[in-house]
Amino acid sequence: VKIVSVVGARPQFVKLAPIHHAARAAGVEHVIVHTGQHYDPLLSDVFFEDLGIGAPDVHLGVGSGSHGVQTGAMLGALDAVFDEHRPDWVLVYGDTNSTVAAALSAVKLHIPVAHLEAGLRSFNRRMPEEHNRVLTDHAADLLLAPTQVAVDHLTREGLAERTVLVGDVMTDVLFDVRDRVARRAADEGERLDAAEGEYYLATIHRAENTDDPARLRQVVEALAGLDRPVVLLAHPRVVAKAAAHGIDLDRGSLTSRPPLAYPDLIAAAAASAGVVTDSGGLQKEAFLLRVPCTTVRTETEWVETVELGWNVLANTREEIAAAVTRPRPAATDAAPYGDGHAAERVIAVLSERR
Ligand code: UD1
């Protein structure tokens, strides 16, 4: 069996790691294509190194641009790559522009497409990611769903026959990295300059929180006014937008610093008093680490984290302040995101159905 994985943005490198290891263990040929959507070493190279993936086999180097320019550049370049490799499967991940470009290119070359993390829905049609995931699900031949909620969405859209529930590969990698971080020496990895259990860890990068200056100012003020130190791991988008609008990311309780490598991020989240984020992945990582999460969005795809009490949606300054100081949620051993063996199931399904 030959699989070509297409990735381009930070969360996809994390999901790629368990798939790559499972493919190797099963003796499956696995070709990795990096579109170049994320090109900063801190958003890209360190993930390949720390998660033991090695270098991508093909790098398209498309870089930044408007959605149309970025997606179009990927489409053009991927045609040639797929035509050369002619894999049994093209595997696409999540909801980025790299995902939809790869799915569209492959289906038109009649190469079977599998979508990992299929069936997630925010039902917010202003999010570029929502269009990317809906279009990809309807184009793909095999829908690898992480949760029962995702399976239910796909069923309602008439896609049940193409759907398989495999669990969430982010659980695989989180469990693995959490255990590695717990065993590592005190001087290994990069640590935050903040006292354990005494700070909130924050990430903000979504267009809806960063692109409008008034909204970005509101979010930054909310973080700066919290009752403990807040460490913001600043994505290039938020740094660029803050600079453009003259918004200071270091004031009051808030300090900003560059993003962390994945193992260091997990260590920093586990040692925090809470996470404040608009990232998809971090909401789930906080839940799996049993760290309370506050999500700065009006909806979430990961509804299980909210239902179980470990995640609260908050948007205004008052809502965010109330959410981070809420009482610790009730302990739970619910496992909506699988058992940490999703990637093995993905490789088994792709091998059986080629
Ligand atoms: C993308 C994904 C989003 C995912 C996120 C994770 C889409 C539509 N969005 O958003 O689903 O949650 O990645 O980070 O695909 N930039 C840099 N250096 C980089 C990458 C980007 O400076 O290495 C700057 C670019 O100039 C651009 C901005 O950051 O203006 C946004 O980059 P973009 O590729 O649009 O994606 P993200 O916002 O990161």
Side-chain angles (χ1 to χ4, degrees):
V1 188
K2 180 174 180 180
I3 301 169
V4 171
S5 279
V6 180
V7 290
R10 179 168 58 176
Q12 297 173 318
F13 311 143
V14 176
K15 294 164 201 164
L16 172 68
I19 294 290
H20 185 61
H21 297 311
R24 238 199 224 154
V28 165
E29 189 182 352
H30 187 215
V31 176
I32 299 171
V33 179
H34 188 323
T35 62
Q37 176 169 355
H38 282 177
Y39 43 85
D40 284 343
L42 278 178
L43 293 190
S44 176
D45 305 20
V46 296
F47 287 81
F48 284 83
E49 289 157 22
D50 288 337
L51 298 175
I53 306 169
D57 299 287
V58 180
H59 200 297
L60 305 179
V62 300
S64 302
S66 68
H67 286 280
V69 166
Q70 188 178 58
T71 310
M74 292 173 191
L75 268 171
L78 285 167
D79 277 358
V81 174
F82 295 157
D83 214 23
E84 181 195 331
H85 283 278
R86 286 278 155 190
D88 298 293
W89 288 103
V90 165
L91 183 58
V92 301
Y93 298 66
D95 59 16
T96 74
N97 291 338
S98 299
T99 313
V100 72
L104 198 51
S105 168
V107 291
K108 294 201 176 180
L109 291 167
H110 307 296
I111 298 172
V113 175
H115 183 203
L116 186 76
E117 208 178 72
L120 290 192
R121 297 292 181 264
S122 68
F123 301 103
N124 177 352
R125 289 176 49 84
R126 298 214 22 106
M127 281 175 72
E129 293 86 352
E130 183 74 356
H131 298 288
N132 289 342
R133 44 172 101 93
V134 170
L135 290 168
T136 302
D137 281 337
H138 284 258
D141 302 281
L142 178 61
L143 303 172
L144 301 162
T147 61
Q148 186 56 47
V149 169
V151 171
D152 295 344
H153 291 149
L154 294 167
T155 302
R156 269 196 295 278
E157 292 174 28
L159 300 173
E161 273 177 24
R162 289 186 244 159
T163 301
V164 182
L165 176 62
V166 287
D168 193 327
V169 298
M170 296 267 297
T171 303
D172 302 16
V173 62
L174 187 277
F175 284 174
D176 180 49
V177 169
R178 178 193 62 188
D179 297 345
R180 252 202 290 149
V181 164
R183 286 194 304 268
R184 75 185 182 180
D187 60 351
E188 254 181 277
E190 194 177 358
R191 268 150 220 268
L192 298 183
D193 186 19
E196 182 157 346
E198 279 305 316
Y199 63 91
Y200 301 121
L201 188 70
T203 78
I204 295 291
H205 79 278
R206 301 212 96 85
E208 59 263 36
N209 283 327
T210 56
D211 290 9
D212 171 31
R215 175 60 188 153
L216 179 57
R217 192 164 279 121
Q218 188 186 28
V219 172
V220 167
E221 269 166 24
L223 296 176
L226 291 180
D227 62 327
R228 295 174 199 257
V230 180
V231 182
L232 174 68
L233 303 176
H235 185 283
R237 180 199 281 275
V238 79
V239 172
K241 298 289 178 184
H245 304 309
I247 298 171
D248 188 359
L249 297 178
D250 291 86
R251 60 201 192 78
S253 301
L254 182 63
T255 51
S256 64
R257 51 146 297 139
L260 286 167
Y262 189 73
D264 302 331
L265 167 79
I266 296 308
S272 74
V275 162
V276 185
T277 190
D278 62 5
S279 147
L282 197 49
Q283 295 171 48
K284 233 175 355 175
E285 284 149 357
F287 169 74
L288 293 168
L289 294 166
R290 298 299 191 267
V291 171
C293 184
T294 299
T295 295
V296 186
R297 284 181 52 193
T298 46
E299 70 286 307
T300 179
E301 298 77 15
W302 304 110
V303 291
E304 302 85 355
T305 59
V306 174
E307 283 158 10
L308 291 163
W310 285 83
N311 191 11
V312 167
L313 302 176
N315 279 287
T316 65
R317 186 181 171 141
E318 294 72 31
E319 286 168 358
I320 294 171
V324 298
T325 53
R326 72 191 188 270
R328 194 176 163 79
T332 174
D333 51 17
Y337 304 116
D339 58 1
H341 296 280
E344 291 154 43
R345 263 176 235 120
V346 169
I347 296 299
V349 174
L350 295 179
S351 302
E352 279 160 23
R353 301 200 180 188
R354 75 171 147 144

